[in-house]
Amino acid sequence: MKIYVTSVFVDDQQKALDFYTGVLGFAKKHDIPMGEARWLTVVSPEDPEGTELLLEPDGHPAVKPYKDGLVADGIPAASFQVADAQAEYERLRGLGVTFTQEPMTAGPVTMAVFDDTCGNLIQIVTPAQ
Amino acid sequence: MGDVFKALADPTRRIILDELTEQDGQTLFEICVRLTSRHQLSLTRQAVSQHLAVLEEAGLITTRRQGRYKFHHLDTTPLAAILERWPVTRKGQAP
């Protein structure tokens, strides 16, 4: 068994695609019309055959309270690995991304948390060398 | 004043204040990460929330909602009241 897709709930699929590709740098993998919504996934250009991230519509009534509760307490919806969390923090800040947690070294990792503009907080993590 | 002493009497709450001294304005998530990764204190989020509530009641932290996020800030003002009541003077120092 392996993880082939994982998801984040987004408030607008097109806006999410723009942010996840244009700002974060992921590449679009699948974009299949599914009724009102799309089966829309992105992958890392570093690992195009790797785990896909599904940008899933957050229309279900249970989702918004869940997302709001996590965001208020600063809890990330997903966590991505980067080569240098400090450098990525500075790059994303330069693109206008809002961080709720600045880079912090905690045990074996350096991590930071930012707002994906689609209703989620996302953590970036760099394992210690 | 009693609340300040009660709030400071707990070692976990003193560590929370230490971590806010190092980096002011933290989310609940960041405070929890710091407690577990730096101090090996594996408390539940509910337990950390309760500690934060005690500190807030004592006036030692304030919470600020910014948009959809909630941040915790250190406020050492209540500590000044202790020094006003019992001023610090060193031995041999003129009062």
Side-chain angles (χ1 to χ4, degrees):
Chain A
M1 203 180 289
K2 69 172 192 174
I3 299 170
Y4 95 95
V5 65
T6 184
S7 61
V8 286
F9 287 110
V10 299
D11 56 12
D12 180 318
Q13 284 190 300
Q14 186 57 49
K15 185 179 67 171
L17 181 63
D18 293 345
F19 183 83
Y20 277 80
T21 58
V23 178
L24 298 188
F26 289 113
K28 186 165 81 171
K29 175 106 179 190
H30 289 117
D31 187 356
I32 304 165
M34 299 268 282
E36 285 178 18
R38 298 147 71 178
W39 178 263
L40 181 61
T41 68
V42 296
V43 287
S44 167
E46 298 162 33
D47 189 12
E49 301 307 314
T51 304
E52 297 173 42
L53 181 70
L54 173 65
L55 304 175
E56 187 166 6
D58 69 358
H60 189 283
V63 175
K64 283 224 169 69
Y66 160 81
K67 285 172 74 177
D68 290 346
L70 293 187
V71 169
D73 282 339
I75 300 168
S79 186
F80 304 137
Q81 185 174 333
V82 295
D84 182 342
Q86 181 69 39
E88 191 64 15
Y89 162 78
E90 281 155 21
R91 184 184 80 84
L92 292 175
R93 277 271 304 255
L95 294 171
V97 174
T98 301
F99 277 77
T100 61
Q101 183 186 311
E102 295 187 0
M104 173 187 57
T105 301
V109 295
T110 301
M111 61 176 80
V113 178
F114 65 83
D115 189 322
D116 78 349
T117 72
C118 304
N120 306 291
L121 297 178
I122 301 293
Q123 184 175 56
I124 49 174
V125 172
T126 299
Q129 297 305 310
Chain B
M1 183 68 80
D3 286 342
V4 174
F5 293 120
K6 183 184 158 220
L8 293 173
D10 182 274
T12 301
R13 291 197 285 269
R14 294 198 296 272
I15 289 169
I16 291 172
L17 295 179
D18 289 340
E19 291 294 335
L20 285 172
T21 304
E22 186 188 299
Q23 172 68 51
D24 198 27
Q26 293 183 35
T27 61
L28 176 62
F29 176 74
E30 182 171 359
I31 293 168
C32 291
V33 169
R34 285 168 177 264
L35 291 177
T36 46
S37 67
R38 295 186 160 181
H39 303 280
Q40 287 72 50
L41 290 168
S42 40
L43 289 86
T44 63
R45 289 204 173 98
Q46 287 80 1
V48 176
S49 279
Q50 283 164 9
H51 282 309
L52 290 170
V54 173
L55 289 168
E56 191 174 2
E57 253 177 52
L60 289 163
I61 63 167
T62 56
T63 58
R64 177 176 59 94
R65 280 199 174 266
Q66 181 190 319
R68 300 157 56 236
Y69 333 115
K70 184 180 176 190
F71 295 102
H72 301 81
H73 290 266
L74 182 67
D75 185 352
T76 53
T77 317
L79 301 179
I82 296 173
L83 290 178
E84 275 164 28
R85 185 165 165 183
W86 298 292
V88 175
T89 50
R90 292 198 181 79
K91 246 186 184 171
Q93 190 183 330

